[in-house]
Structure formats: C-alpha cells, structure tokens
C-alpha cells in the first residue's frame, strides 16, 4: 500500500501486510484456495491500518509501534487458535477477521438433521457470509430446530441444513438436540463457571430474559 502526503519522508509511506503459510502437502484439489482466503484477510488488515494512519498517524508515529506490534500479535494468535479474530484497537475501531475453512467442492463436513437445534456460540462475521445464512440468522435463537427455521425463513430445508453445517464447520454454531419433555437433562462441569465468573453470572439472567421476551 502506498500513501502519499507532504508530512512523509519523500512524500510517501509504503507498507505491506502478509501471512506466511505452509505449502500444501496433500495434493487435494482446491487446497490452494486457502491462500486466497488469507489474502482477503491481509487486505482487511491493510484497510484498517490505512484508516488508522489517516486518522491518527498510526504507522508514521514511532511512538505507536508498540501498539502495532500488539495488534499484529493478537491477530496471529487468534487466527492460529480459532481461525477468526476480534481485536479491539481503540474506542472507534475493532478488527474482525474470519478465515473460512477451504472445502473441496464446497463440501460440508457436519451432518445436520431436521430436528437439530443450531446454537450460535460466536458472532457470524466476514464478507463470505452467503445469502442463505443471512436469511436464516434472524430465526436462529437456540430454541428453534432446523425444520422450524426453514419454515419460518421460507428457505428450503436442504439449503438450511447445508448453511447450518457450514457454520458448524467454521465454529460459529454448535448443534443441540431439540428439547423433549421425556428426555433427561443435566449440567456439564462448566456450570462452575457461573460461580467463578462474575461477568458470566450477571449475563446469564439477561440472556434468559431476552429469550423469554
């Protein structure tokens, strides 16, 4: 990226952003698609940094280098661990990046049944969210099962199952069984987090109240 201005040395500021990737090793057709995904992610970082430079001299101010290093490290660590990141830069800017898992022939690995209940565990972000996902997201409340979501959204059940499976593959959604009164339910060991985490404890009743309204 080249930015021009009289306050820059030689009237220009030149910078670049890139990811170092391991070469594909399996020879599977379509495996190289991952490079294009990371290229889009790099462009997102470039655009964010460019905006920060225009607004507050983020790159050209030597005092801000520590902030830049913190942001880059956070991006790398989160992408390596979760294939997505949410890095808060300041009050006005947060960097969101999602690395979609490349699939051969758009194959979805997760199997989604009509009675499975999709539960959002992370915000669905990214420029690659397709039309089907956009149509069904408003109806995914963690209670409705897949068939009900298809009926309410007016989307064919097969397409809803593929879209939900794609979100499961990317880590945005987990599947739960449809609630049945004859089933037996029990808490998991994670219930102790309600005791240990004050933030989670205060968020719990708000979430329940939102679902009930």
């Amino acid at each position: 990226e080249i930015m021009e201005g009289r306050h820059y040395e030689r009237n220009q500021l030149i910078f670049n952003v890139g990811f170092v990737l391991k070469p594909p090793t399996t020879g599977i057709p379509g495996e190289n698609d991952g490079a294009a995904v990371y290229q889009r992610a790099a462009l997102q970082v470039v655009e964010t940094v460019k905006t920060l430079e225009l607004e507050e001299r983020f790159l050209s101010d030597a005092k801000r280098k520590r902030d830049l290093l913190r942001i880059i490290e956070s991006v790398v660590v989160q992408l390596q661990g979760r294939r997505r990141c949410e890095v808060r830069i300041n009050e006005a800017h947060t960097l969101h990046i999602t690395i979609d898992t490349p699939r051969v022939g758009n194959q979805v690995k997760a199997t989604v049944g009509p009675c499975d209940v999709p539960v959002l565990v992370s915000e669905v972000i990214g420029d690659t969210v397709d039309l089907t996902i956009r149509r069904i997201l408003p109806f995914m409340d963690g209670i409705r099962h897949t068939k009900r979501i298809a009926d309410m959204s007016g989307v064919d059940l097969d397409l809803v199952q593929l879209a939900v499976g794609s979100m499961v593959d990317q880590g945005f959604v987990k599947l739960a069984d449809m609630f049945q009164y004859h089933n037996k339910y029990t808490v998991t060991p994670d219930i102790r987090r309600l005791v240990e985490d004050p933030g989670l404890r205060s968020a719990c009743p708000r979430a329940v109240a939102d679902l009930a309204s």
Side-chain angles (χ1 to χ4, degrees):
E1 182 71 28
I2 301 177
M3 302 182 66
E4 297 184 348
R6 294 182 179 179
H7 53 284
Y8 297 131
E9 185 178 357
R10 298 183 180 179
N11 297 325
Q12 283 186 338
L13 174 66
I14 302 175
F15 72 94
N16 195 12
V17 175
F19 295 98
V20 180
L21 306 177
K22 292 182 179 180
T25 56
T26 64
I28 297 176
E31 188 179 19
N32 286 321
D33 294 347
V37 174
Y38 276 96
Q39 185 178 27
R40 290 195 294 270
L43 288 174
Q44 285 182 257
V45 179
V46 168
E47 289 301 317
T48 300
V49 172
K50 182 178 178 181
T51 299
L52 291 169
E53 171 63 20
L54 289 172
E55 293 181 357
E56 51 191 79
R57 304 283 296 276
F58 192 79
L59 284 177
S60 55
D61 186 351
K63 298 179 181 178
R64 304 300 300 275
K65 286 186 177 180
R66 183 175 299 178
D67 293 333
L68 179 61
L69 180 61
R70 173 186 62 82
I71 293 170
I72 297 299
E73 287 180 343
S74 296
V75 169
V76 172
V77 170
Q78 292 187 40
L79 289 182
Q80 286 179 335
R82 303 184 301 157
R83 297 184 66 81
R84 61 183 180 273
C85 75
E86 181 177 338
V87 180
R88 182 177 176 85
I89 299 172
N90 53 35
E91 293 183 358
H93 298 284
T94 300
L95 179 59
H96 295 278
I97 299 177
T98 299
I99 302 297
D100 295 323
T101 304
R103 301 181 185 88
V104 180
N106 293 323
Q107 180 181 3
V108 175
K109 296 179 181 179
T111 300
V112 180
C115 292
D116 287 332
V117 178
V119 180
L120 285 168
V121 295
S122 177
E123 181 184 3
V124 181
I125 55 178
D127 299 329
T128 58
V129 177
D130 63 26
L131 181 60
T132 300
I133 293 177
R134 293 183 188 277
R135 288 181 62 180
I136 68 176
L137 272 177
F139 304 98
M140 294 174 54
D141 60 356
I143 299 175
R144 300 185 181 105
H145 53 78
T146 308
K147 179 65 167 62
R148 179 64 172 158
I149 293 171
D151 292 340
M152 295 185 68
S153 63
V155 178
D156 185 79
L157 177 59
D158 290 340
L159 293 178
V160 173
Q161 289 174 296
L162 286 173
V164 172
S166 173
M167 288 187 282
V168 172
D169 288 347
Q170 296 178 56
F172 296 124
V173 164
K174 289 187 180 296
L175 297 178
D177 294 331
M178 184 172 62
F179 181 83
Q180 301 285 353
Y181 287 101
H182 58 74
N183 288 348
K184 295 181 179 179
Y185 297 91
T186 185
V187 298
T188 71
D190 284 341
I191 192 68
R192 65 176 182 272
R193 292 177 55 198
L194 282 174
V195 177
E196 300 169 351
D197 188 340
L200 183 62
R201 197 161 57 244
S202 62
C204 182
R206 291 199 301 270
V208 174
D210 289 341
L211 289 175
S213 60

